[in-house]
Amino acid sequence: MGFLTYLINGLSLGSVYAIIALGYTMVYGIAKMLNFAHGDVIMIGAYLVFMCTSNAGMPAIVSIVIAMGCCTILGMIIEKIAYAPLRKATNLAVLITAIGVSYFLQNMALLIFGSNPVSFTSVIPWEGLSFAGGQLKITGNALITIVVCLVIMVVLMWFVKNTKPGQAMRAVSEDRDAAVLMGINVNATISLTFAIGSGLAAIAGALLCSSYPSLTPYTGSMPGIKAFTAAVFGGIGSIPGALIGGLLLGIIEILAKAYISSQLADAIVFAVLIIVLLVKPTGILGKQIKEKV
Amino acid sequence: MKKINKLALFANKSNQRLFTTILVILVLYVLMTILDGTGNLSSLMKGLLVPVCAYSLVAVGLNLCVGYLGELSLGHAGFMCVGAFSSAFFSKAFVGIIPDVPRFILSLLIGTALAALFGFLIAIPVLRLSGDYLAIVTLAFGEIIKNVINVLYVGVDSQGLHFSMKDMMSLGMEPGGKIIINGAQGVTGTPRQSTFTISVVLLLLAIVITYNFVNSRTGRAVKAIRDNQIAAETVGLPITKYKLIAFTLSAAIAGVGGVLYAHNISSLTATTNTFGYNMSIMILVYVVLGGIGSFSGSIIAATILTLLPEMLRGLSNYRMLIYSVVLIMLMLFNWAPGILKWREAHGIKNFKSILKSKNTKEVQ
């Protein structure tokens, strides 16, 4: 029973990682850049939800929608100001700019909200299910998180496969120059990608802080790094890869915490990542691109 | 022998650059020493002299990896960490047993050697990957090193060394024993032996070594591999060997930075900000802002960016905000194609051409 509980907790944490990893993997697939500031957008989203629910007394759903709207706009503004001018510059320059944006968001939050952790009230007011006479408990947080993650995945995969903007995204990620020749507005497509990724970040922030309620300006950075790891783990650029990578990472982390050592859990997660990448250098679902002379 | 070298040294352009760099560092060193001697240096600035040198060293090491090997490493704080903890461990264990000066030299050698060893061991699997995958694996290694050190307990008593990964109790020490590495509390009470003079000497040494390395036969081979691996392979260069050499040297220099850092603070802990990915990223910022492939640029950027938050201290909470805005603006100003065109049209000189040496290529 203990094992099952850990497994479900792992799936729940993994679902959060998967939603965050989506933001990384889509932006990487389309703009070919590592958006290091993504983790901090999560933190901003969580703070917005916190302000709406705890300070303004709004219902959870409304506050999440507001946070999603704000984060979407924030993501697009960041893209326009900081990343779009560097579209043709080297990847490393964009990476450092993204780091600058990450510092900016963290310190902005530090100024506005202060460094003391605030206690986040869960957006899911449901006790959850109880099986086998209370031996196996599935919290509402865990269950809803997993369901939300799966719904997002299905909707997003449908969106990318079947809609015009989704097809444009795939085209840009495959060959940007050819996409331009086909009349696709690359700038708008990249903007849309940032908008979707940042909107999802707000949901991820709310779900993450529902399970781990201590919220500080630095809350987003470690889950951000881990979700990025998850994206690479599953094969960066692939949406199902983000799901698999995120879930595996969450399960490994929780099981390592439970059975081996809570302090070494992160080290174990990263060690598994290294082993996977050495066996399959482009991640679990990544495509192998042949090198041509 | 020495004379011939000196004459030959001025013959080519890259050596002139080397001498300019050394000269500037020496002038700054003398200036700082005079300011310190006459009491014009605030204690804040004085406290920053050694860290600036330590960060510069790590940045030079990382620049060797990013600029000349052409691989992005996000784990150099890990090598710094290895150098720092191994040397602090040695210094603390042998305090009072070996006299100060030879002990510091030995700990420096041990820290450097262990960082190089870790660099070598990590490079064997890591260099099979490339690009962003290599970056994420180095990040993972850096985090593992930090995490393991955080749960490591080492003590010494009359029976020898005791290791544990659990807690202080499970070391099973005798009452008179001395705990050296205390888990998350790290190492406290390392003798503070990193003086400004030693730091500058080590920095100069590292610059001379790296300049000579990149202009040596091996260095040229490394650059050839960076520019076109397939072509280099075709002419018969042993790719793995040269990559390993460059990565190991890069890790060793980062280790020296770690040794300096460890012997400058009284309490050495491995947190995200001191040795985690935050520090690795910080060092990468120095390298990119200073100019990829330019060692002097790395040192300039490390110095300015270390001093900047301290100089902005009067602005209290706003200082890191201003720092981040400055960072974003600098990156846009230096790299955005649109702004570069505008600068050309208005005759604003390209900073990059000052800081960046010509024979380098950016990492893609």
Side-chain angles (χ1 to χ4, degrees):
Chain A
M1 284 302 152
F3 179 75
L4 268 180
T5 315
Y6 292 135
L7 200 64
I8 289 160
N9 286 343
L11 277 174
S12 153
L13 179 63
S15 302
V16 177
Y17 286 156
I19 301 174
I20 307 171
L22 271 180
Y24 278 106
T25 218
M26 284 171 62
V27 166
Y28 185 87
I30 285 154
K32 293 283 175 290
M33 66 163 286
L34 298 177
N35 182 12
F36 253 99
H38 192 63
D40 302 294
V41 177
I42 296 163
M43 173 270 299
I44 300 277
Y47 266 114
L48 287 170
V49 174
F50 172 78
M51 287 208 314
C52 289
T53 51
S54 299
N55 293 1
M58 288 184 216
I61 291 290
V62 180
S63 34
I64 290 180
V65 171
I66 292 175
M68 276 178 74
C70 294
C71 281
T72 307
I73 296 167
L74 178 70
M76 287 166 79
I77 293 174
I78 291 172
E79 200 271 331
K80 269 279 157 307
I81 293 178
Y83 304 152
L86 291 167
R87 187 105 347 124
K88 290 204 175 73
T90 64
N91 279 0
L92 214 50
V94 191
L95 180 72
I96 304 291
T97 313
I99 292 164
V101 172
S102 160
Y103 285 159
F104 179 80
L105 292 178
Q106 276 177 15
N107 288 294
M108 205 61 173
L110 204 60
L111 275 183
I112 300 172
F113 305 109
S115 58
N116 289 334
V118 295
S119 160
F120 192 93
T121 34
S122 173
V123 289
I124 302 156
W126 180 37
E127 280 292 298
L129 304 170
S130 178
F131 296 107
Q135 275 189 308
L136 175 64
K137 272 200 192 124
I138 305 175
T139 60
N141 276 336
L143 211 58
I144 301 278
T145 306
I146 297 168
V147 171
V148 167
C149 168
L150 292 177
V151 170
I152 288 174
M153 286 293 161
V154 171
V155 170
L156 210 61
M157 279 201 264
W158 172 84
F159 176 81
V160 168
K161 200 155 197 284
N162 295 318
T163 61
K164 276 269 167 202
Q167 281 170 340
M169 283 163 112
R170 280 192 293 147
V172 173
S173 88
E174 205 142 289
D175 190 332
R176 192 188 289 178
D177 297 329
V180 173
L181 295 177
M182 293 296 126
I184 291 168
N185 187 342
V186 172
N187 280 332
T189 310
I190 293 178
S191 254
L192 176 70
T193 315
F194 270 89
I196 295 175
S198 308
L200 292 179
I203 302 181
L207 291 174
L208 179 74
C209 290
S210 294
S211 301
Y212 301 87
S214 164
L215 176 59
T216 72
Y218 305 108
T219 297
S221 76
M222 198 60 198
I225 290 281
K226 284 202 191 131
F228 169 48
T229 311
V232 177
F233 200 58
I236 199 155
S238 143
I239 293 176
L243 176 67
I244 293 177
L247 291 182
L248 278 178
L249 205 75
I251 294 171
I252 295 169
E253 184 179 333
I254 295 286
L255 289 183
K257 256 187 195 150
Y259 291 110
I260 304 173
S261 155
S262 61
Q263 286 160 309
L264 279 177
D266 286 351
I268 292 162
V269 168
F270 286 119
V272 173
L273 168 87
I274 292 168
I275 294 165
V276 168
L277 282 188
L278 290 180
V279 178
K280 205 160 179 318
T282 50
I284 296 170
L285 294 183
K287 281 182 213 139
Q288 187 76 50
I289 298 160
K290 286 234 170 72
E291 201 175 355
K292 285 179 202 150
V293 182
Chain B
M1 185 66 195
K2 229 176 180 180
K3 244 183 183 167
I4 300 165
N5 263 343
K6 256 188 187 163
L7 284 174
L9 276 173
F10 279 104
N12 77 42
K13 217 169 175 189
S14 108
N15 283 330
Q16 282 173 15
R17 289 178 61 95
L18 172 63
F19 274 96
T20 322
T21 313
I22 291 176
L23 210 67
V24 170
I25 294 176
L26 281 178
V27 167
L28 280 176
Y29 168 71
V30 172
L31 195 72
M32 284 296 158
T33 318
I34 292 172
L35 277 179
D36 189 24
T38 53
N40 282 322
L41 210 58
S42 70
S43 63
L44 198 74
M45 286 290 279
K46 228 161 100 181
L48 280 175
L49 291 177
V50 178
V52 162
C53 293
Y55 295 146
S56 297
L57 269 163
V58 187
V60 167
L62 182 61
N63 206 339
L64 187 64
C65 182
V66 177
Y68 291 89
L69 187 59
E71 300 291 5
L72 175 60
S73 161
L74 290 176
H76 261 58
F79 303 130
M80 191 183 169
C81 186
V82 170
F85 274 85
S86 55
S87 64
F89 170 78
F90 181 83
S91 283
K92 206 185 161 191
F94 287 94
V95 86
I97 300 171
I98 305 178
D100 281 358
V101 176
R103 192 187 60 224
F104 183 71
I105 294 171
L106 275 175
S107 74
L108 179 67
L109 290 177
I110 286 174
T112 315
L114 265 177
L117 178 70
F118 268 74
F120 178 74
L121 291 177
I122 288 170
I124 295 171
V126 159
L127 290 176
R128 291 181 37 179
L129 305 166
S130 62
D132 299 317
Y133 290 93
L134 187 140
I136 194 76
V137 169
T138 49
L139 186 146
F141 269 118
E143 287 301 295
I144 292 175
I145 292 174
K146 186 200 85 188
N147 257 312
V148 168
I149 284 185
N150 264 323
V151 295
L152 192 65
Y153 293 84
V154 184
V156 64
D157 59 12
S158 60
Q159 300 193 325
L161 287 173
H162 296 261
F163 291 92
S164 166
M165 299 273 273
K166 262 179 33 219
D167 52 34
M168 219 154 70
M169 290 301 122
S170 57
L171 282 174
M173 301 260 290
E174 288 173 2
K178 183 164 74 168
I179 290 184
I180 298 174
I181 300 179
N182 188 8
Q185 266 105 54
V187 184
T188 44
T190 319
R192 297 187 63 163
Q193 286 177 304
S194 301
T195 60
F196 186 41
T197 312
I198 292 174
S199 311
V200 169
V201 168
L202 287 174
L203 184 59
L204 289 177
L205 203 66
I207 292 171
V208 171
I209 290 173
T210 43
Y211 262 102
N212 278 315
F213 175 77
V214 297
N215 292 314
S216 69
R217 191 188 164 85
T218 318
R220 287 195 303 273
V222 170
K223 280 187 274 184
I225 293 167
R226 173 200 67 193
D227 289 339
N228 192 335
Q229 183 163 340
I230 295 169
E233 223 166 355
T234 320
V235 296
L237 289 177
I239 305 280
T240 318
K241 181 185 144 194
Y242 286 123
K243 277 187 167 179
L244 276 178
I245 292 174
F247 199 84
T248 309
L249 181 61
S250 164
I253 295 172
V256 179
V259 175
L260 281 184
Y261 184 88
H263 288 79
N264 184 49
I265 51 169
S266 46
S267 164
L268 182 70
T269 53
T271 63
T272 318
N273 285 328
T274 51
F275 292 116
Y277 60 89
N278 272 352
M279 179 49 78
S280 294
I281 287 170
M282 202 72 184
I283 305 287
L284 184 67
V285 169
Y286 300 155
V287 170
V288 177
L289 215 58
I292 297 159
S294 160
F295 297 122
S296 43
S298 295
I299 297 171
I300 295 170
T303 311
I304 293 176
L305 291 188
T306 313
L307 296 181
L308 187 65
E310 298 303 329
M311 288 192 290
L312 294 174
R313 202 167 268 277
L315 301 161
S316 65
N317 288 333
Y318 291 93
R319 68 193 178 105
M320 283 313 283
L321 197 69
I322 293 170
Y323 175 87
S324 63
V325 173
V326 168
L327 184 61
I328 297 170
M329 302 278 274
L330 271 175
M331 289 316 290
L332 291 180
F333 190 71
N334 265 338
W335 294 93
I339 295 175
L340 286 181
K341 208 180 266 171
W342 179 85
R343 273 165 56 185
E344 213 166 287
H346 291 74
I348 299 170
K349 205 167 157 37
N350 195 346
F351 286 153
K352 255 194 293 175
S353 62
I354 306 171
L355 294 182
K356 212 177 117 202
S357 63
K358 274 172 272 162
N359 54 350
T360 58
K361 193 188 104 184
E362 287 87 39
V363 186
Q364 286 302 317

